[in-house]
Amino acid sequence: MKKYVSSLPDDIRSSVVVLLVAIPLCLGIAVASGLDEFSGIIAGIVGGIIVGALSGSQLSVTGPAAGLTVIVFAAVAKLPAVEAFFLAVVLAGVIQLLMGALKLGIIGEYIPNCVIKGMLAAIGIILILKQFPHLIGYDADFEGDENFVQSSGENTFSAVINAFQSITPVAVIIGFTGLAILILYENKWIKKQTFSTYLSGPLLVVLAGVGINLLTVSMNGNELQSDHMVNIPIAGSLSGFVSFFRFPNWEFITNSDVWVTAFTLAIVASLETLLGIEAIDKLDPLRRVTPPNRELMAQGAGNMVSGLLGGLPVTSVIVRSSANLDSGAKTKRSTIFHGIMILLFVLFFPRLLNMIPKAALAAILIFTGYKLTKIPVFKDYYKKGWDQFIPFVVTIAAIVITDLLTGVLIGMATGIFYIIRSNFRSSIFMVNNDQNYLVRLRKDVSFFSKPKLKFSLEKVPENAFLIIDTTRAEFIDRDIIDTLNDFMKHAHLKNITVEIKQSLHNPSISEIIAPAPLETELQVDQAH
């Protein structure tokens, strides 16, 4: 209990950082999705409070995700009314609840580590590339865009190039001052100081950004305009705040497009969530493991509530989760607190948040990206060998030039190829001493090993003595048995003497491959 209470200051401090990062992302993703800004705010509040309370993850942060913007935008345009879309979000939540109840969360366990690490490094690179234009005052694209082709019509690289043609001097000063502060906060001496316990680096960056802009205003300089600042809708009163909420229309429940949207959102949001919790669990210094099925059910509950209130669909989001971890969060109270603070600030203090320059937040996100994609990560995977390094690099490249899910799928396909290749190369072993040959079958000998087996058997010369050893094989595919049978039938034509060694401890293989009779044919038990 004492340890739980002692972590409270860390959770409160990190929740403030997540609040500052989450607000512009919620607003930007909502606008890019074709909905009003408040839909993103609702999703952020629900993701923090509802999902945070129900989730088994201690560090993951839930909110609207950039990976769903294309799906949401298309659905809003296609459905007869925006209220039909909110109904689809509710139904997507129900589907996720069922997925969790059916224990489909295990899907996340089959993602190779090299792909997960590649995904984190790619997110880091994307953060650096995407936030650099905001750092110097070029805010053509929405905050949180992760796709290569941006909503502004540019791509990730062209936006960086074009940013140099639209530099805003005050934004540059704020942005690079923020980066300098964050770099200084990495110093061990600063970390030991009492003030760093209460005033975190990201919070100081925001305060410095606000101060520099106010100083520019007082000097009648070229202060930042509203398009370079956080822009939260201001309610003005409690009734005005309530008027921002929109609700689903249940009359559209028989509409087939609503159900198609619901299933699409449920599947994509669930995959992003499973990827997110796998990634954050690997970064957690305490190595805590998130129950995936509980997480699906928590996300389902969150989407139901978000849809009922007129919010965007939610998922576990890596950027906010990484910022949460880097800020020193210890428990999921940080996630819950950030959701509560979004609600309170939007309700009572929206003008304070609207004083924050986007360049200050860009500095925080760029530094978060740097921590995700440090050079030692690449060196570590290079040392592990090509079968780990290539899927790692392919995942990074694919995510950067496409999007998160497409890139992960490409990375997984590459990883699976190397897994099959590794098994293929190690499942059949051949050695010889003069005219004595040994072909050993090891582990699982699948269909993919058939070409190598045929090649190995063809290398056995005339008048040789061959031992086929199956004692170390746990599984032998039927095609492999047929290949051995074909060889046994014709071995006598080359005067090859064949002996088969079988394990007494693996009756399944002993029954499948019987000792060859005089006619040198390998018999197969028809019962199997």
Side-chain angles (χ1 to χ4, degrees), residues 137-155:
Y138 183 62
D139 298 305
D141 193 30
F142 72 90
E143 290 279 352
D145 192 357
E146 295 175 358
N147 293 331
F148 181 71
V149 179
Q150 300 180 167
S151 60
S152 61
E154 303 167 305
N155 62 50

Side-chain angles (χ1 to χ4, degrees), residues 52 54 104 192 363:
L54 298 176
L104 297 181
K192 292 178 181 179

Side-chain angles (χ1 to χ4, degrees), residues 233-312:
I234 299 175
S237 64
L238 182 60
S239 59
F241 178 77
V242 173
S243 68
F244 286 146
F245 292 91
R246 305 178 73 174
F247 307 101
N249 188 335
W250 294 89
E251 293 180 1
F252 294 108
I253 198 166
T254 57
N255 187 307
S256 59
D257 289 334
V258 169
W259 284 98
V260 170
T261 300
F263 274 99
T264 303
L265 289 174
I267 293 170
V268 176
S270 297
L271 287 174
E272 289 213 10
T273 290
L274 294 173
L275 288 169
I277 61 173
E278 279 287 318
I280 296 304
D281 283 352
K282 292 191 184 306
L283 295 176
D284 184 1
L286 299 180
R287 291 294 183 266
R288 290 166 291 191
V289 178
T290 302
N293 297 311
R294 176 178 170 180
E295 187 65 26
L296 286 182
M297 298 181 79
Q299 296 287 333
N303 275 317
M304 289 176 65
V305 175
S306 186
L308 287 170
L309 298 177
L312 288 171

Side-chain angles (χ1 to χ4, degrees), residues 338-388:
H338 112 273
I340 294 172
M341 283 191 287
I342 292 177
L343 175 61
L344 294 177
F345 271 90
V346 171
L347 184 57
F348 298 111
F349 314 110
R351 288 181 175 83
L352 284 178
L353 292 178
N354 287 345
M355 295 171 66
I356 301 173
K358 291 181 180 178
L361 300 175
I364 297 171
L365 290 171
I366 286 174
F367 201 71
T368 300
Y370 161 73
K371 287 190 171 183
L372 288 173
T373 187
K374 287 182 177 179
I375 297 299
V377 178
F378 289 81
K379 290 182 177 179
D380 180 48
Y381 268 89
Y382 180 76
K383 291 176 181 178
K384 290 182 178 181
W386 293 111
D387 59 332
Q388 292 289 306

Side-chain angles (χ1 to χ4, degrees), residues 3-329:
K3 183 178 179 181
Y4 187 77
V5 173
S6 66
S7 66
L8 184 60
D10 294 323
D11 290 333
I12 293 175
R13 187 172 59 249
S14 60
S15 67
V16 174
V17 176
V18 179
L19 163 74
L20 297 173
V21 170
I23 287 288
L25 296 180
C26 290
L27 296 173
I29 291 169
V31 173
S33 299
L35 295 169
D36 59 81
E37 293 98 328
F38 202 71
S39 293
I41 295 295
I42 292 171
I45 294 170
V46 171
I49 300 174
I50 303 299
V51 179
L54 298 176
S55 171
S57 175
Q58 296 299 316
L59 297 175
S60 175
V61 179
T62 293
L68 295 176
T69 52
V70 175
I71 298 172
V72 174
F73 187 87
V76 170
K78 183 177 183 179
L79 293 173
V82 70
E83 291 79 10
F85 171 74
F86 296 137
L87 176 59
V89 176
V90 175
L91 296 175
V94 175
I95 294 168
Q96 285 184 295
L97 282 172
L98 293 174
M99 292 173 69
L102 294 172
K103 303 190 183 303
L104 297 181
I106 196 172
I107 295 171
E109 305 292 339
Y110 292 96
I111 303 171
N113 286 342
C114 56
V115 174
I116 294 292
K117 290 291 186 179
M119 178 182 69
L120 288 170
I123 292 293
I125 293 171
I126 288 172
L127 278 176
I128 294 170
L129 293 174
K130 294 286 190 181
Q131 292 299 319
F132 180 79
H134 297 293
L135 186 80
I136 61 177
Y138 183 62
D139 298 305
D141 193 30
F142 72 90
E143 290 279 352
D145 192 357
E146 295 175 358
N147 293 331
F148 181 71
V149 179
Q150 300 180 167
S151 60
S152 61
E154 303 167 305
N155 62 50
T156 302
F157 301 123
S158 65
V160 173
I161 296 171
N162 293 337
F164 287 102
Q165 302 172 6
S166 304
I167 294 175
T168 306
V170 177
V172 172
I173 295 171
I174 291 172
F176 281 90
T177 299
L179 285 177
I181 290 171
L182 293 170
I183 292 170
L184 285 173
Y185 256 74
E186 289 295 295
N187 183 276
K188 292 181 180 179
W189 182 83
I190 296 239
K191 287 182 177 180
K192 292 178 181 179
Q193 303 309 305
T194 305
F195 71 85
S196 67
T197 304
Y198 304 99
L199 185 62
S200 66
L203 180 56
L204 183 57
V205 168
V206 169
L207 294 176
V210 172
I212 292 171
N213 193 50
L214 289 176
L215 182 63
T216 308
V217 172
S218 67
M219 296 172 60
N220 296 317
N222 295 317
E223 69 273 10
L224 295 176
Q225 301 302 310
S226 60
D227 57 332
H228 298 300
M229 312 289 285
V230 172
N231 190 16
I232 292 179
I234 299 175
S237 64
L238 182 60
S239 59
F241 178 77
V242 173
S243 68
F244 286 146
F245 292 91
R246 305 178 73 174
F247 307 101
N249 188 335
W250 294 89
E251 293 180 1
F252 294 108
I253 198 166
T254 57
N255 187 307
S256 59
D257 289 334
V258 169
W259 284 98
V260 170
T261 300
F263 274 99
T264 303
L265 289 174
I267 293 170
V268 176
S270 297
L271 287 174
E272 289 213 10
T273 290
L274 294 173
L275 288 169
I277 61 173
E278 279 287 318
I280 296 304
D281 283 352
K282 292 191 184 306
L283 295 176
D284 184 1
L286 299 180
R287 291 294 183 266
R288 290 166 291 191
V289 178
T290 302
N293 297 311
R294 176 178 170 180
E295 187 65 26
L296 286 182
M297 298 181 79
Q299 296 287 333
N303 275 317
M304 289 176 65
V305 175
S306 186
L308 287 170
L309 298 177
L312 288 171
V314 299
T315 74
S316 172
V317 276
I318 297 174
V319 173
R320 274 156 274 184
S321 301
S322 299
N324 188 40
L325 175 65
D326 290 340
S327 302

Side-chain angles (χ1 to χ4, degrees), residues 231-517:
N231 190 16
I232 292 179
I234 299 175
S237 64
L238 182 60
S239 59
F241 178 77
V242 173
S243 68
F244 286 146
F245 292 91
R246 305 178 73 174
F247 307 101
N249 188 335
W250 294 89
E251 293 180 1
F252 294 108
I253 198 166
T254 57
N255 187 307
S256 59
D257 289 334
V258 169
W259 284 98
V260 170
T261 300
F263 274 99
T264 303
L265 289 174
I267 293 170
V268 176
S270 297
L271 287 174
E272 289 213 10
T273 290
L274 294 173
L275 288 169
I277 61 173
E278 279 287 318
I280 296 304
D281 283 352
K282 292 191 184 306
L283 295 176
D284 184 1
L286 299 180
R287 291 294 183 266
R288 290 166 291 191
V289 178
T290 302
N293 297 311
R294 176 178 170 180
E295 187 65 26
L296 286 182
M297 298 181 79
Q299 296 287 333
N303 275 317
M304 289 176 65
V305 175
S306 186
L308 287 170
L309 298 177
L312 288 171
V314 299
T315 74
S316 172
V317 276
I318 297 174
V319 173
R320 274 156 274 184
S321 301
S322 299
N324 188 40
L325 175 65
D326 290 340
S327 302
K330 297 296 187 295
T331 73
K332 66 179 182 178
R333 289 176 305 192
S334 174
T335 301
I336 299 171
F337 290 159
H338 112 273
I340 294 172
M341 283 191 287
I342 292 177
L343 175 61
L344 294 177
F345 271 90
V346 171
L347 184 57
F348 298 111
F349 314 110
R351 288 181 175 83
L352 284 178
L353 292 178
N354 287 345
M355 295 171 66
I356 301 173
K358 291 181 180 178
L361 300 175
I364 297 171
L365 290 171
I366 286 174
F367 201 71
T368 300
Y370 161 73
K371 287 190 171 183
L372 288 173
T373 187
K374 287 182 177 179
I375 297 299
V377 178
F378 289 81
K379 290 182 177 179
D380 180 48
Y381 268 89
Y382 180 76
K383 291 176 181 178
K384 290 182 178 181
W386 293 111
D387 59 332
Q388 292 289 306
F389 184 68
I390 291 180
F392 170 75
V393 172
V394 168
T395 301
I396 294 172
I399 291 175
V400 170
I401 63 175
T402 58
D403 56 65
L404 181 64
L405 279 180
T406 303
V408 166
L409 291 175
I410 293 172
M412 286 185 64
T414 307
I416 290 170
F417 167 78
Y418 273 91
I419 291 171
I420 293 173
R421 180 173 176 267
S422 175
N423 185 67
F424 164 75
R425 297 181 69 177
S426 62
S427 61
I428 296 177
F429 169 80
M430 183 176 183
V431 68
N432 73 293
N433 181 14
D434 293 332
Q435 289 291 91
N436 299 309
Y437 283 75
L438 168 67
V439 172
R440 176 170 288 149
L441 277 58
R442 302 183 294 189
K443 301 189 300 182
D444 295 334
V445 191
S446 68
F447 164 82
F448 295 103
S449 298
K450 187 169 103 171
K452 184 172 184 181
L453 176 62
K454 292 180 73 172
F455 178 76
S456 298
L457 293 175
E458 288 300 320
K459 286 178 64 177
V460 180
E462 295 180 357
N463 306 315
F465 175 73
L466 170 64
I467 297 176
I468 299 176
D469 183 5
T470 67
T471 58
R472 301 186 185 182
E474 296 180 6
F475 165 79
I476 300 179
D477 188 86
R478 183 68 185 221
D479 274 45
I480 299 299
I481 297 172
D482 290 342
T483 300
L484 290 172
N485 269 330
D486 290 340
F487 176 79
M488 294 290 290
K489 287 178 182 178
H490 304 100
H492 67 281
L493 299 177
K494 296 171 66 175
N495 197 31
I496 297 174
T497 304
V498 182
E499 178 183 326
I500 296 181
K501 294 181 66 176
Q502 300 171 91
S503 173
L504 298 176
H505 303 290
N506 196 335
S508 60
I509 293 179
S510 297
E511 292 175 5
I512 292 173
I513 302 179

